[in-house]
């Protein structure tokens, strides 16, 4: 036994010495740099959000009690409200879950003063969302211009894109702007007005977008989702021009779709898998402007039973979008993003693995009282790197907390009638664990997507060829019991599958990697 322990100690000290070589030190310092760059990005994003918070508060102090709607109270005059353009809100629906009714109510009770219609677009009347949204609209039929549209099955693109395009076809002939919303987004009363105002001020805007503020439910899976979205939030908190686009909130010119300008319709319809990635690529190709106003941040409650397996399925779908593209330039950019994200993800995790070795080595020296000067020197050097990483990690978490705090405050100001959001439920220990787990799994998921070229999205398997959807499969045994984030039931008991652990799910995915035609996600 003593021989075995001595052998383990020898191996441990060898690893600790190896992790003090120049290359290993570079990797660990690189991890610290990644932490600090993330912290800097979140600090800049927090500055933009905080600037908007101060503007609203100052306006309220000056007597504008409706500052969450309009910066200038004169905008509320009837003569100005009467000139507001017509907006059509298109919401592709799939399934029904615990937060949907609240989200739909927040959308149809918008305080936009101009003509406004809502189009809830479903694949079929068998969708559980059909009866739920029909009942909701029946209770608001005297106050809201809204209808349910049945889109049928998609054959040339993803079902979501198909629903969006059918919604566009059914919108009012006088509609000037179309707003695409996901059904898991909770809007603020003034969101539609704020987006429309920006479009009116700058006709050069091609798309206006926003971003969700995840509200974790307490499970590790929900914190992994929160952690995954947080780095992306930097690109949406610019207060203006951005290169990023989120499909959950996109306002565009209706005429762009009527005239298929820049190929927005054909680009989506002919093999499109991801709405936001396709439109972002078109915007880049035609040098069109994408903006994200500072008020476009939306509460996004995650399912209370969001399991780790469902997080993994969501991550698979997120990495799969990099396999879709519409041009050679778009393909190159996606592959560059693929490589950089994978490198940074494992570059972020590696220093923490090394730190565990350094800490364990130092503890063994302390407990056993080893007196070899060489081992003690390496242990001391290793612990210096551990302390540096710990400081950088603390700064990173502090910056993440600060941005989340600012966004919570902004959401509370923008929706004064809604239940107050708070940071109290956030578990920062779990968030740190989620950072390691998510960054470790991202490259695995990305390589899996690259090899398979197919994905199961809410019970529909899409196959890509040359970046476009070329085959769509629908089978009852592919329908999951619930969707990933919102925990929405897709077809009630129909197609429900037995609960499987994350390890068994991962095992099946690895098997599918080797034999993609014989297994389903």
């Amino acid at each position: 036994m003593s021989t075995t322990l001595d052998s383990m100690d020898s191996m441990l000290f060898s690893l600790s010495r190896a992790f003090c070589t120049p290359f290993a030190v570079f990797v660990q310092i690189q991890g610290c740099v990644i932490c600090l760059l993330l912290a800097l990005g979140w600090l800049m994003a927090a500055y933009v959000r905080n600037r908007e918070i101060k503007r609203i508060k100052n306006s309220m102090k000056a007597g504008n009690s409706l500052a969450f709607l309009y910066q200038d109270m004169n905008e509320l005059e009837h003569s100005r409200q009467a000139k507001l353009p017509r907006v059509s809100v298109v919401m592709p629906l799939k399934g029904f879950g615990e937060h949907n009714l609240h989200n739909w109510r927040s959308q149809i009770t918008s305080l936009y003063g101009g003509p406004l219609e809502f189009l809830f677009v479903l694949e079929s009347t068998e969708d559980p969302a059909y009866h739920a949204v029909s009942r909701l609209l029946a209770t608001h039929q005297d106050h809201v211009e809204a209808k349910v549209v049945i889109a049928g099955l998609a054959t040339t693109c993803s079902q979501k894109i198909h629903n969006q395009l059918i919604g566009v076809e059914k919108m009012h002939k006088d509609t000037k702007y179309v707003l695409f919303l996901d059904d898991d987004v909770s809007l603020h009363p003034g969101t539609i007005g704020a987006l429309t105002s920006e479009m009116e001020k700058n006709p050069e805007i091609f798309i206006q977008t926003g971003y969700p503020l995840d509200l974790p439910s307490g499970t590790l899976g929900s914190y992994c989702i929160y952690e995954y979205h947080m780095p992306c939030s930097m690109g949406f908190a610019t207060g203006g021009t951005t290169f990023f686009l989120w499909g959950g909130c996109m306002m565009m010119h209706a005429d762009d779709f009527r005239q298929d300008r820049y190929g927005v319709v054909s680009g989506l319809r002919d093999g499109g898998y991801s709405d936001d990635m396709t439109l972002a690529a078109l915007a880049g190709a035609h040098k069109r402007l994408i903006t994200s106003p500072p008020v476009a941040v939306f509460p996004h409650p995650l399912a209370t039973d969001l399991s780790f397996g469902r997080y993994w399925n969501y991550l698979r779908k997120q990495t799969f979008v990099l396999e879709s593209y519409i041009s050679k330039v778009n393909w190159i950019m996606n592959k560059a993003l693929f490589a950089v994200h994978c490198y940074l993800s494992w570059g972020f995790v590696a220093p923490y693995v090394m730190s565990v070795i350094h800490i364990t080595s130092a503890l063994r020296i302390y407990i056993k009282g080893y007196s070899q000067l060489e081992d003690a020197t390496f242990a001391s050097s290793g612990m210096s790197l551990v302390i540096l990483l710990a400081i950088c990690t603390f700064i990173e978490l502090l910056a993440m907390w600060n941005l989340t705090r600012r966004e919570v405050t902004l959401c509370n100001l923008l929706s004064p009638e809604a239940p107050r959001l708070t940071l109290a439920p956030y578990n920062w220990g779990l968030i740190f664990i989620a950072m390691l787990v998510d960054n470790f799994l991202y490259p695995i998921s990305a390589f899996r997507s690259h090899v398979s070229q197919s994905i199961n999205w809410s019970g529909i398997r899409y196959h890509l060829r040359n970046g476009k959807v070329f085959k769509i499969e629908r089978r009852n045994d592919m329908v999951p019991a619930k969707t990933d984030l919102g925990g929405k039931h897709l077809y009630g008991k129909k197609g429900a599958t037995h609960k499987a652990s994350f390890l068994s799910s991962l095992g099946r995915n690895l098997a599918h990697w080797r034999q993609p035609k014989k297994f389903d996600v």
Side-chain angles (χ1 to χ4, degrees):
M1 187 69 168
S2 177
T3 303
T4 302
L5 288 176
D6 289 342
S7 177
M8 290 177 62
D9 285 346
S10 177
M11 182 184 301
L12 183 66
F13 297 146
S14 295
L15 283 173
S16 184
R17 287 194 293 271
F19 290 158
C20 288
T21 60
F23 176 74
V25 171
F26 167 77
V27 171
Q28 293 172 84
I29 292 178
Q30 175 187 257
C32 295
V33 171
I34 293 173
C35 288
L36 293 178
L37 288 176
L38 286 170
L40 178 62
W42 286 325
L43 286 173
M44 294 175 64
Y47 169 78
V48 172
R49 302 298 191 197
N50 192 50
R51 187 175 57 192
E52 189 64 17
I53 291 171
K54 289 181 177 179
R55 182 197 65 76
I56 295 174
K57 288 183 175 180
N58 289 337
S59 184
M60 293 176 69
K61 288 179 181 179
N64 182 6
S65 59
L66 298 177
F68 65 96
L69 291 178
Y70 294 100
Q71 298 184 29
D72 184 0
M73 287 196 68
N74 293 326
E75 296 291 332
L76 290 170
E77 293 179 358
H78 177 73
S79 59
R80 296 194 181 186
Q81 293 284 302
K83 296 178 181 179
L84 289 175
R86 173 176 279 273
V87 176
S88 292
V89 181
V90 175
M91 283 172 281
L93 306 185
K94 182 75 170 180
F96 180 69
E98 59 184 305
H99 300 298
N100 281 128
L101 277 178
H102 169 76
N103 293 335
W104 295 340
R105 286 195 185 100
S106 75
Q107 292 163 357
I108 65 175
T109 54
S110 170
L111 296 182
Y112 180 65
L116 182 64
E117 70 170 342
F118 296 88
L119 302 167
F120 294 85
V121 191
L122 299 98
E123 172 186 309
S124 73
T125 56
E126 293 182 6
D127 194 305
Y130 174 75
H131 296 291
V133 75
S134 296
R135 287 193 297 269
L136 175 66
L137 297 186
T139 61
H140 292 79
Q141 59 183 349
D142 297 332
H143 311 288
V144 177
E145 183 182 345
K147 60 183 175 181
V148 178
V149 178
I150 304 303
L153 300 180
T155 57
T156 63
C157 58
S158 70
Q159 187 65 47
K160 178 184 178 182
I161 289 176
H162 176 71
N163 289 8
Q164 289 172 324
L165 294 178
I166 293 297
V168 167
E169 289 180 7
K170 301 296 183 180
M171 68 184 176
H172 196 281
K173 62 181 180 63
D174 295 329
T175 291
K176 186 174 183 180
Y177 302 114
V178 56
L179 173 61
F180 297 105
L181 291 178
D182 280 356
D183 62 352
D184 55 358
V185 170
S186 180
L187 282 192
H188 306 294
T191 295
I192 297 177
L195 294 174
T196 305
S197 176
E198 292 297 319
M199 296 289 278
E200 290 287 282
K201 290 177 184 176
N202 186 0
E204 295 300 315
I205 294 176
F206 179 51
I207 307 175
Q208 273 203 102
T209 189
Y211 205 63
L213 166 63
D214 288 330
L215 306 175
S217 59
T219 66
L220 178 59
S222 68
Y223 279 108
C224 285
I225 297 293
Y226 164 79
E227 189 283 328
Y228 175 80
H229 284 158
M230 281 303 289
C232 301
S233 64
M234 303 174 196
F236 292 88
T238 61
T241 303
T242 181
F243 297 103
F244 295 85
L245 184 59
W246 178 53
C249 174
M250 302 184 298
M251 177 173 275
M252 303 179 64
H253 295 270
D255 282 344
D256 286 349
F257 286 89
R258 293 190 181 104
Q259 302 170 21
D260 193 15
R261 197 174 289 154
Y262 314 115
V264 294
V265 174
S266 55
L268 291 168
R269 180 194 59 214
D270 301 335
Y273 168 75
S274 170
D275 53 337
D276 47 16
M277 292 292 284
T278 301
L279 291 172
L282 289 172
H286 296 277
K287 296 180 172 53
R288 306 309 300 164
L289 183 63
I290 300 175
T291 65
S292 182
V295 295
V297 55
F298 312 108
H300 182 216
L302 299 173
T304 53
D305 61 346
L306 202 159
S307 65
F308 198 78
R310 276 158 55 190
Y311 150 70
W312 168 253
N313 290 336
Y314 176 77
L315 183 63
R316 282 275 292 109
K317 286 184 286 192
Q318 292 301 299
T319 56
F320 188 75
V321 299
L322 294 179
E323 299 303 315
S324 64
Y325 54 90
I326 62 171
S327 65
K328 185 67 173 180
V329 173
N330 189 206
W331 178 83
I332 293 173
M333 292 182 65
N334 282 2
K335 294 309 175 187
L337 184 59
F338 171 94
V340 170
H341 200 154
C342 289
Y343 175 82
L344 291 178
S345 289
W346 276 355
F348 176 84
V349 173
Y352 293 97
V353 176
M354 295 178 176
S355 294
V356 171
I357 300 298
H358 287 313
I359 293 171
T360 307
S361 176
L363 286 175
R364 293 297 292 173
I365 290 175
Y366 176 77
I367 293 172
K368 292 292 185 178
Y370 290 116
S371 57
Q372 292 187 24
L373 181 61
E374 184 181 10
D375 287 336
T377 300
F378 281 120
S380 176
S381 300
M383 287 306 296
S384 297
L385 293 171
V386 170
I387 293 172
L388 177 62
L389 180 62
I391 293 172
C392 293
T393 302
F394 176 76
I395 294 173
E396 178 192 18
L397 287 171
L398 185 63
M400 186 189 293
W401 168 83
N402 181 56
L403 174 57
T404 306
R405 179 172 64 97
R406 300 296 184 189
E407 292 186 335
V408 163
T409 301
L410 181 57
C411 286
N412 285 334
L413 285 173
L414 293 172
S415 293
E417 82 299 339
R420 312 304 286 170
L421 304 180
T422 174
L423 278 177
Y426 285 74
N427 184 324
W428 294 94
L430 269 179
I431 289 174
F432 172 69
I433 295 173
M435 290 166 60
L436 298 178
V437 171
D438 182 64
N439 282 284
F440 174 75
L441 289 178
Y442 183 91
I444 297 175
S445 176
F447 279 104
R448 168 72 179 83
S449 298
H450 178 69
V451 171
S452 70
Q453 290 294 298
S454 70
I455 192 71
N456 183 324
W457 184 3
S458 297
I460 305 173
R461 179 169 290 281
Y462 299 98
H463 298 263
L464 298 186
R465 179 188 292 160
N466 298 324
K468 296 182 179 296
V469 173
F470 82 97
K471 181 181 178 182
I472 301 175
E473 289 184 90
R474 291 180 174 87
R475 296 202 314 268
N476 287 344
D477 62 333
M478 292 194 299
V479 180
K482 294 182 178 181
T483 57
D484 300 324
L485 300 193
K488 297 180 293 184
H489 293 275
L490 296 175
Y491 295 103
K493 295 182 179 180
K494 178 183 177 181
T497 58
H498 66 280
K499 290 185 178 180
S501 67
F502 169 69
L503 291 178
S504 64
S505 174
L506 186 56
R508 293 176 71 244
N509 283 329
L510 291 175
H512 187 189
W513 192 333
R514 294 173 180 268
Q515 296 175 306
K517 294 183 179 180
K518 296 185 179 180
F519 293 82
D520 296 312
V521 174

